[in-house]
Amino acid sequence: MTNDRERWGTRLGFVLAAAGSAVGLGNLWRFPYLTWENGGATFVMVYLLSVAVVGLPILVAELVIGRRSQRNPVGAFRLLKPATPWFLVGVLGVIAGFVILSYYSVVAGWTLHYALRAATGAFVHHTPQEMADRFAEFVSDPGEQILWHAAFMLLTMGIVVGGIRGGIERATGLLMPLLFLILLVLAGLSLASPGALEGLRFLFRPSLGDLSGELVLAALGQSFFSLSLGMGAMIVYGSYLSQETNLTTSAIQVSILDTLVALLAVLMIFPVIFTHAITPTESAGILFTTLPVILTDLPGGQIVTVLFFLLLAFAALTSTISLLEVTVSWAIDQRGWSRRKSTLLLGTTIWVLGIFSALSFGGGWLAEVTVLGMRGVFDIMNGISSNVFLPVGGFFIALFAGWALTRGAAEEELSPATGWSTWVSVWKVLVRFVAPIVVALVFLAAIGLL
Ligand code: PHE
């Protein structure tokens, strides 16, 4: 074990940083639009089930692997199972981090732009249609897209280059509660609108007829994406943990926070959609086009809109940091590069890759290319990473924790005190059988092999 490795200051600091990685655009932007695309309640239910049965045990598995090895994902598998192909799971994770960050930073850039626009009063008294037009105009402007994407990558690099503890840990502790509070207020406002009942029905009254292989895969992939699983982010965060922290309680807290934020996001958005009879056409824009509509007629609405987009940018930042940290920790540990060099080189390369996504809303071949029914580079990156990379990574991480770890290792990590042995047995069954079988079945069904 390396003793000079950086460490989280406190357990709460760790939980908030891990929750910071989990809570992000996945909850506030991706979850609502997937809920819309998949017809509402059935998707929400499958998602919740997936968080509990597959997500939580894999989150625990990643924390176990990270703390046990005190390494980046590639190094972790190499250390725990030397001279086996297991390290490829880590390699896949680093690649996934690369791909996800490249397009994630594009959307994160939108939040900065929207915060600025809102501050200048650009959205006051806009109709839903006007908001949608604004959005379409903005995302198809190549200059704006590259600029905001660059701004966000720079912010992320600026923090990662300085190491983890001082910056991230302190900032998340303050800003996450604020985000939560604003979301509560906005969801409350939205629920007071005439479309609330219809919104709630859409969100919470499932119908079995909606179930399909693709819906289940989308929900499963979203649970991985939202909890930052399947690519080693939680291995890395776990690797900065010391021995005292109870991994199970931390994992449960992170999952609950993440799920609450996702639910608040849809509660905030859908009543408004039904109140104003909006039919989102560009579903990726749902968050950006509905929110200002809720606030436009309220006193102080402009300030709340600015604040909301700033907090959204912040939530995104605490996630992009963890994505970049995965690739950077790999380069530092495995390549022997300095933190500076790793951040600069990897950050720039990811930014360049992201340009393809950034420009794919403006027509042309970047918007037209189609792979497996996904259209446009942005959608392809977004779909492949969460529906292929993360489930495949999560599948192997579960198998690794369940079967490949040395006997007793997980028990040691998970039962610091007495009273946890039942949980450890349940967890073992979940990572050995339930999670891998569910992921494999869903995956095969969705790609039509079952
Ligand atoms: N969980 C983050 C979100 O919901 C995204 C993310 C995915 C971060 C994978 C790290 C790793 O926004």
Side-chain angles (χ1 to χ4, degrees):
M1 247 183 224
T2 40
N3 284 327
D4 53 355
R5 198 174 178 77
E6 249 195 296
R7 296 234 176 274
W8 302 110
T10 61
R11 193 185 89 82
L12 183 67
F14 158 70
V15 170
L16 287 176
S21 167
V23 173
L25 298 174
N27 311 57
L28 299 157
W29 160 75
R30 205 170 189 278
F31 185 63
Y33 92 72
L34 284 178
T35 300
W36 172 257
E37 284 181 351
N38 288 286
T42 312
F43 177 82
V44 175
M45 295 303 142
V46 178
Y47 172 77
L48 294 176
L49 203 68
S50 165
V51 167
V53 180
V54 181
L56 181 61
I58 294 183
L59 175 52
V60 172
E62 289 204 20
L63 294 177
V64 166
I65 295 171
R67 185 167 68 186
R68 188 84 190 162
S69 64
Q70 305 276 305
R71 294 276 192 290
N72 73 90
V74 178
F77 289 101
R78 276 201 200 279
L79 181 87
L80 298 172
K81 274 285 152 189
T84 59
W86 278 109
F87 75 95
L88 291 172
V89 181
V91 173
L92 182 73
V94 174
I95 296 175
F98 216 85
V99 173
I100 295 177
L101 182 50
S102 77
Y103 76 87
Y104 195 101
S105 154
V106 173
V107 183
W110 298 351
T111 64
L112 290 179
H113 171 84
Y114 268 71
L116 195 76
R117 276 266 190 100
T120 61
F123 301 141
V124 179
H125 303 307
H126 268 31
T127 64
Q129 189 52 50
E130 283 165 339
M131 284 306 300
D133 295 343
R134 281 288 174 102
F135 179 76
E137 217 174 90
F138 168 61
V139 292
S140 55
D141 182 328
E144 296 262 28
Q145 290 304 301
I146 294 180
L147 177 81
W148 293 103
H149 166 48
F152 211 88
M153 271 317 289
L154 276 175
L155 267 179
T156 307
M157 289 158 69
I159 292 186
V160 169
V161 85
I164 342 175
R165 182 147 150 197
I168 312 180
E169 195 173 334
R170 213 172 312 132
T172 29
L174 187 73
L175 291 161
M176 295 292 291
L178 194 58
L179 176 71
F180 205 75
L181 198 73
I182 285 220
L183 274 173
L184 265 180
V185 172
L186 293 179
L189 286 175
S190 175
L191 283 168
S193 67
L197 211 58
E198 216 180 322
L200 288 173
R201 237 183 260 132
F202 175 76
L203 287 172
F204 299 113
R205 199 196 266 168
S207 90
L208 280 181
D210 291 344
L211 268 185
S212 67
E214 291 91 79
L215 179 143
V216 182
L217 180 63
L220 188 80
Q222 172 62 15
S223 70
F224 281 103
F225 189 92
S226 191
L227 289 170
S228 306
L229 296 180
M231 42 86 60
M234 291 299 174
I235 296 185
V236 174
Y237 273 25
S239 79
Y240 301 122
L241 268 179
S242 58
Q243 213 51 43
E244 304 83 65
T245 310
N246 184 320
L247 298 184
T248 306
T249 357
S250 311
I252 292 175
Q253 288 163 344
V254 169
S255 312
I256 290 179
L257 278 177
D258 190 63
T259 306
L260 279 179
V261 173
L263 288 177
L264 281 176
V266 287
L267 284 174
M268 167 183 92
I269 288 177
F270 286 99
V272 182
I273 293 211
F274 288 103
T275 301
H276 295 269
I278 306 170
T279 322
T281 41
E282 178 63 83
S283 53
I286 257 186
L287 175 68
F288 296 89
T289 52
T290 49
L291 180 84
V293 176
I294 322 182
L295 298 168
T296 206
D297 295 326
L298 289 171
Q302 189 178 340
I303 293 174
V304 182
T305 316
V306 177
L307 203 57
F308 177 81
F309 282 117
L310 281 180
L311 286 171
L312 189 59
F314 184 78
L317 187 61
T318 54
S319 300
T320 53
I321 289 165
S322 72
L323 285 160
L324 187 58
E325 183 64 27
V326 170
T327 61
V328 164
S329 72
W330 163 78
I332 295 176
D333 294 353
Q334 305 302 126
R335 301 266 129 220
W337 295 357
S338 67
R339 178 167 279 273
R340 241 190 131 72
K341 173 174 167 190
S342 314
T343 308
L344 205 69
L345 271 179
L346 292 167
T348 313
T349 320
I350 292 170
W351 175 69
V352 172
L353 179 67
I355 291 180
F356 293 95
S357 295
L359 299 184
S360 73
F361 294 92
W365 69 272
L366 290 172
E368 305 294 334
V369 289
T370 304
V371 174
L372 302 169
M374 294 171 285
R375 199 148 165 276
V377 177
F378 180 91
D379 265 10
I380 295 171
M381 299 275 184
N382 185 5
I384 288 199
S385 49
S386 87
N387 294 344
V388 182
F389 286 167
L390 301 186
V392 170
F395 172 79
F396 285 110
I397 287 169
L399 287 183
F400 184 85
W403 301 96
L405 264 185
T406 335
R407 198 170 269 287
E411 283 77 1
E412 242 174 77
E413 295 297 327
L414 291 179
S415 0
T418 44
W420 287 94
S421 53
T422 323
W423 155 250
V424 178
S425 322
V426 173
W427 174 77
K428 274 250 147 127
V429 174
L430 290 172
V431 284
R432 283 192 160 177
F433 305 105
V434 180
I437 293 175
V438 169
V439 175
L441 287 180
V442 171
F443 192 71
L444 293 177
I447 58 176
L449 288 179
L450 218 75

